[in-house]
Amino acid sequence: MRNPTDMTAARADGRPISMVTCYDTWSARIIAATDIDCILVGDSVAMVMHGHDTTIPADVDMMRLHVAAARRGAPELLLIADMPFLAHRKGLRPAMEAVDVLMKAGAQGVKIEGAGDTVDLIRHIVDSGVPVMGHLGLTPQSIHAFGGYRVQGRSEQAAAAIRAEAVRLQEAGCFALVLEVVPSVLAAEVTEALDIPTIGIGAGPHTSGQVLVLQDLLGMQPEFRPHFLRTFLDGFELLREALGRYDEAVKSGSYPSDEESYR
Ligand code: KIV
């Protein structure tokens, strides 16, 4: 996909959408060589690339750096950037400046967690010509309010709130909606109620598409194995083994050989 309208068209045609997080140039190049539809420069970068426990330390500067790096590796691919913690909660001007920075770094739209009184701001951003992706369910920027990484929308009341907020986000002009760690039935109901695509993570199979953190699906973080995660590679072990062979080659004197040296 090249832009958000391609995602709208995929939903209309019933074509499943694949999205993956990406924070740097070299992995963006690999993703761009696949049929994956869309890159999300998520604020999970704070955890995956910077070693923090939550996404809260991500800020606009951190996001700008990673958006620009990912964009250089995938110049043609649809790329959405996360608005980091509180960037959209400090008033209109700072929020629009954050959007400006992320778009100028190479994003084609921003993802914003939550609804509530952020909906008016989302409408303003959309009216400014910037595509916005909503995000409901387990929104990690609110992790302390949730009391941990827990399935959201389990009670009828909580499910009704998510259904209502999803409709409000669509009405505010969101072009797509991420649903994170909610029961499959709820994700199916939300998807059915909306015209815009829903992208699930831990939300079951009845959404318009799926998103996973790249390093999670590649098995780079063996200690992180939530119930919903499927790993498609034993990446940590493969890289560990390759690095071990390099170390061995250096220490045994077999690398570099004559052929790998300049005369
Ligand atoms: O930051 C992120 O990576 C995300 C996805 C997991 C949806 O928001």
Side-chain angles (χ1 to χ4, degrees):
M1 289 179 183
R2 289 184 168 232
N3 59 60
T5 56
D6 294 336
M7 205 179 265
T8 316
R11 156 98 211 223
D13 299 347
R15 278 180 282 123
I17 299 158
S18 56
M19 181 159 89
V20 69
T21 65
C22 172
Y23 320 113
D24 58 69
T25 304
W26 74 275
S27 58
R29 281 205 186 106
I30 299 172
I31 295 165
T34 71
D35 289 331
I36 286 174
D37 294 313
C38 175
I39 281 177
L40 172 68
V41 183
D43 58 357
S44 51
V45 67
M47 301 173 76
V48 177
M49 302 296 277
H50 295 268
H52 294 290
D53 286 342
T54 71
T55 60
I56 289 170
D59 61 13
V60 176
D61 251 13
M62 185 190 284
M63 296 305 297
R64 178 184 54 80
L65 215 71
H66 290 282
V67 167
R71 177 46 88 205
R72 284 191 286 271
E76 310 277 328
L77 196 58
L78 174 58
L79 187 156
I80 305 299
D82 251 336
M83 282 281 267
F85 185 63
L86 295 189
H88 48 289
R89 304 285 303 177
K90 296 176 182 166
L92 181 61
R93 196 182 170 89
M96 293 311 288
E97 277 167 4
V99 172
D100 192 28
V101 167
L102 297 176
M103 296 298 283
K104 284 180 178 150
Q108 290 161 283
V110 294
K111 177 165 79 57
I112 297 183
E113 291 190 8
D117 57 5
T118 304
V119 167
D120 287 340
L121 173 71
I122 290 176
R123 195 172 286 114
H124 180 78
I125 297 171
V126 172
D127 286 348
S128 311
V130 175
V132 177
M133 179 177 268
H135 186 165
L136 294 176
L138 178 56
T139 45
Q141 289 170 14
S142 305
I143 195 65
H144 297 306
F146 292 140
Y149 292 95
R150 305 207 171 100
V151 181
Q152 299 298 304
R154 275 213 152 123
S155 70
E156 187 36 50
Q157 197 187 4
I162 290 176
R163 281 194 296 266
E165 293 203 313
V167 171
R168 287 183 70 219
L169 287 173
Q170 173 169 280
E171 285 170 359
C174 283
F175 76 92
L177 175 66
V178 168
L179 291 169
E180 181 160 354
V181 189
V182 296
S184 321
V185 174
L186 174 58
E189 286 167 357
V190 171
T191 303
E192 177 68 29
L194 299 185
D195 296 322
I196 59 172
T198 55
I199 310 293
I201 170 164
H206 307 298
T207 50
S208 319
Q210 300 290 328
V211 57
L212 282 176
V213 169
L214 179 70
Q215 285 76 2
D216 293 347
L217 78 88
L218 295 180
M220 296 296 185
Q221 315 206 94
E223 72 290 351
F224 183 67
R225 288 285 153 95
H227 175 68
F228 65 79
L229 179 64
R230 185 186 297 179
T231 50
F232 293 82
L233 187 77
D234 189 2
F236 186 93
E237 204 38 47
L238 274 172
L239 294 198
R240 198 194 60 76
E241 195 265 332
L243 289 167
R245 280 191 285 119
Y246 163 68
D247 175 63
E248 214 277 317
V250 170
K251 289 176 179 166
S252 67
S254 76
Y255 178 81
S257 63
D258 279 351
E259 293 72 44
E260 289 157 333
S261 306
Y262 296 103
R263 285 168 198 272

